[in-house]
Amino acid sequence: MQIRVPDQPYASIEAEALVTYVVDKDPKLEGVAGEIDRAMGGKLTSLAESGEITGKALEMVLIHFPQGLAAERLLLVGAGKPGKFAQSDLRKIAGAALRHLKSRGVKNFAFLAREGERSPEAAQAVVEGLIAADFESDKYRSEKKNRAIQSASLAGFDDGLSGNLDDAIERGRIVAESQNFARDLINEPSNRLTPRMLAEKAEQMALESGLGIEVLDEQRIVELKMGALIGVAQGSVEPPRVIVVRYIPETAAAGGPILGLVGKAVTFDTGGISIKPANNMEKMKYDMGGGATMLGAMRALAYLKPKIPVIAVIPATENMPGARAQKPGDVQVAMSGKTIEVINTDAEGRLILAEGITYAKQLGCTHLVDAATLTGAIEVALSNVNVGAFGTPREYLDRFLASASAVGEKMWPMPIDDEYEEMIKSNIADIRNTGSGKGGGAITAAWFLKEFAEDTPWVHLDIAATCWLDDGRPWLAKGPTGVAIRSIIDFALKL
Ligand code: BES
Ligand code: ZN
Ligand code: ZN
């Protein structure tokens, strides 16, 4: 999809559709909607009066052959209550408009911003929304739907200082294409994306974007004594990998912060000996979503160039019940020296992340963010609406949450009180890999990770319920979402 900035006024843009948006209970149809209404001889006012245009969030009203406009159609998108509207909602509005038009065979359209939402930042949000909305999961379909948006124009935006608008469009494209890059990886079935193949894809991405990369093989993993990762991997014939991707700016100050991004990449989670039920097991191909998130974020950061070094550490393995698989009750020694009693082999994500976190610290990371499809319990707590965000110290978590809110990703702070630590005490080892006692499964999982992050500022994102959507949203296809990538990018740029 091409993104253009037209040089004529919106009324004379000859697109298949012109898109703009109206807030709820906006009887006067102010701003551009008011202008269009007047050009149409009050048609919109009468549609608002009859209740067809209400401005309710993501309501779509499509008008053909609008009088006074060169476009063939006018699409009015509801923007919801004016008090609730934020600039980040432009992503959803633009994305929902694109999907609405695409499903009707429209190939090009113009998106018209209202006054007040014409900054380069607003344009970036629109571009992100459009490109993420255009993603489809049709790689393995023989017959592709021949519906495609060829071009979208951004109308009405101010350039600020000259060139700002072009830069903003470019940034939006990089962010959303990186999100889509991660979504493509998440979609891959496990026979087409083993830990070795994931490492190859990471190498290719690093080469294309000018990032450093190093892939640790099983021999190196043994040398480093990553016992908790080896324990998970030993049930599979596919060898594990640890993928290390580096962004090191030349200007980085010695002794300054280094951000470590640790992502869980279980390319298939059967549960191991504590095997999962057959129902829905096919979905466990997306258990590498945390790793894909970090690769997507690194891809974007390679172009957006934060001031600080960023290192991604991605432990990758299958979790299989092979003849050599670890068994409930086994004790593994992690690279940090901590001993772990494996109560349930299906709680494998925290085992491999423990090694990723320790290794990231060993590489010099002073600040950590991890992302993982870690627990079913996070769905019980937050459903598929919010990412569960844990972290210490609280100010560090709050800085991360501020980034999430700035880029329109819903995340909710989860508790990590000392009382929960009791629940991961083992009878025979330093810690156990599941919580004893009832409930709090997402929290005890986070506590397990904290035992390895120790005093390093750390954020943990449990994306188990938000990384994949069974039902699409008006602005996003069903399947992989690429959630958390935008927040991580924003956070790295501001740290
Ligand atoms: N990969 C799963 C978590 C998951 C569940 C991701 C559903 C996406 C959708 C994880 O490895 C797991 O199996 N966790 C267990 C932990 C339990 C055994 C303590 C869980 O959540 O049931
Ligand atoms: Zn599991
Ligand atoms: Zn898992």
Side-chain angles (χ1 to χ4, degrees):
M1 177 175 47
Q2 278 194 316
I3 309 268
R4 298 196 184 133
V5 180
D7 40 26
Q8 67 267 60
Y10 71 84
S12 50
I13 297 176
E14 289 181 13
E16 288 179 41
L18 179 76
V19 178
T20 193
Y21 46 101
V22 287
V23 290
D24 201 346
K25 305 285 179 298
D26 195 355
K28 292 192 294 279
L29 291 163
E30 291 163 330
V32 281
E35 270 172 40
I36 295 173
D37 184 41
R38 284 189 289 281
M40 292 176 74
K43 180 101 181 272
L44 300 183
T45 299
S46 57
L47 288 174
E49 279 165 4
S50 70
E52 203 164 325
I53 298 173
T54 69
K56 182 164 96 18
L58 301 184
E59 167 190 84
M60 299 281 160
V61 180
L62 187 60
I63 297 161
H64 291 259
F65 308 113
Q67 196 187 325
L69 296 178
E72 290 167 34
R73 302 169 183 81
L74 171 67
L75 177 62
L76 279 181
V77 186
K81 298 258 183 276
K84 275 193 169 176
F85 181 85
Q87 185 173 287
S88 57
D89 292 331
L90 288 176
R91 288 189 188 77
K92 290 181 186 171
I93 292 170
L98 178 141
R99 294 189 67 76
H100 192 80
L101 294 172
K102 188 177 176 181
S103 72
R104 281 157 184 79
V106 168
K107 293 190 169 47
N108 62 75
F109 65 92
F111 184 91
L112 173 60
R114 300 187 311 184
E115 290 104 271
E117 287 117 31
R118 298 185 160 177
S119 63
E121 292 74 29
Q124 179 177 343
V126 169
V127 172
E128 288 173 11
L130 293 173
I131 293 177
D134 201 26
F135 178 92
E136 308 288 350
S137 303
D138 57 3
K139 178 172 171 189
Y140 294 111
R141 245 187 246 294
S142 309
E143 267 175 49
K144 315 241 190 278
K145 288 189 186 145
N146 60 6
R147 288 178 178 148
I149 300 285
Q150 281 153 5
S151 82
S153 303
L154 301 192
F157 287 92
D158 301 325
D159 190 24
L161 295 170
S162 61
N164 272 2
L165 187 53
D166 289 338
D167 286 353
I169 291 172
E170 194 49 29
R171 280 196 301 277
R173 180 180 283 288
I174 288 160
V175 169
E177 286 182 351
S178 299
Q179 189 177 339
N180 290 349
F181 165 78
R183 292 162 86 191
D184 272 328
L185 290 175
I186 296 169
N187 251 339
E188 286 298 332
S190 73
N191 64 331
R192 294 173 178 277
L193 195 79
T194 60
R196 282 181 293 179
M197 295 192 234
L198 180 64
E200 277 166 22
K201 299 222 179 201
E203 275 169 343
Q204 198 186 331
M205 180 279 286
L207 192 71
E208 283 166 13
S209 11
L211 292 164
I213 184 158
E214 186 187 355
V215 176
L216 314 186
D217 63 9
E218 61 270 40
Q219 198 188 330
R220 190 79 189 105
I221 290 168
V222 170
E223 276 166 21
L224 287 166
K225 299 198 169 70
M226 295 185 169
L229 170 59
I230 296 164
V232 175
Q234 74 192 36
S236 172
V237 292
E238 286 293 339
R241 291 289 182 265
V242 176
I243 304 164
V244 182
V245 185
R246 283 188 176 80
Y247 163 80
I248 315 278
E250 279 164 24
T251 53
I258 302 179
L259 178 62
L261 303 177
V262 183
K264 168 180 175 182
V266 174
T267 58
F268 197 81
D269 183 9
T270 65
I273 296 299
S274 314
I275 199 161
K276 288 180 181 294
N279 215 1
N280 287 325
M281 204 206 269
E282 76 286 355
K283 288 213 201 113
M284 283 302 109
K285 70 172 186 178
Y286 78 73
D287 211 19
M288 34 60 71
T293 299
M294 295 321 186
L295 289 175
M298 290 304 291
R299 181 187 182 277
L301 291 174
Y303 297 97
L304 299 176
K305 305 207 184 302
K307 291 191 205 77
I308 56 160
V310 186
I311 304 178
V313 176
I314 300 162
T317 180
E318 288 187 337
N319 186 23
M320 296 286 286
R324 288 167 44 83
Q326 66 179 349
K327 298 169 285 295
D330 286 2
V331 172
Q332 308 292 9
V333 186
M335 134 189 235
S336 74
K338 280 208 164 77
T339 57
I340 305 165
E341 185 186 7
V342 179
I343 301 293
N344 188 315
T345 66
D346 196 12
E348 84 298 341
R350 63 199 77 181
L351 295 172
I352 73 167
L353 285 171
E355 304 300 31
I357 287 171
T358 306
Y359 193 58
K361 289 202 299 185
Q362 215 174 76
L363 294 177
C365 296
T366 58
H367 294 72
L368 297 170
V369 176
D370 80 67
T373 48
L374 203 63
T375 67
I378 202 66
E379 185 172 20
V380 178
L382 300 173
S383 185
N384 60 11
V385 177
N386 276 284
V387 169
F390 300 80
T392 55
R394 181 62 207 226
E395 304 78 68
Y396 182 66
L397 173 61
D398 284 342
R399 281 176 76 178
F400 192 88
L401 292 171
S403 281
S405 128
V407 300
E409 289 188 318
K410 281 183 177 282
M411 304 206 177
W412 197 255
M414 296 288 290
I416 185 138
D417 315 59
D418 291 344
E419 284 85 341
Y420 297 99
E421 191 182 9
E422 290 303 312
M423 296 163 79
I424 54 167
K425 295 234 158 100
S426 159
N427 291 330
I428 64 163
D430 296 336
I431 42 175
R432 44 185 279 153
N433 80 330
T434 60
S436 59
K438 265 199 178 162
I443 305 170
T444 48
W447 243 110
F448 185 96
L449 302 179
K450 186 170 146 49
E451 299 283 355
F452 295 88
E454 297 178 300
D455 292 335
T456 306
W458 155 80
V459 163
H460 157 58
L461 305 174
D462 194 335
I463 57 170
T466 45
C467 169
W468 185 277
L469 289 179
D470 290 333
D471 302 307
R473 300 265 162 87
W475 61 92
L476 216 61
K478 64 177 156 194
T481 60
V483 74
I485 295 177
R486 289 204 309 265
S487 303
I488 294 167
I489 295 168
D490 188 79
F491 184 68
L493 290 170
K494 288 178 181 162
L495 193 65

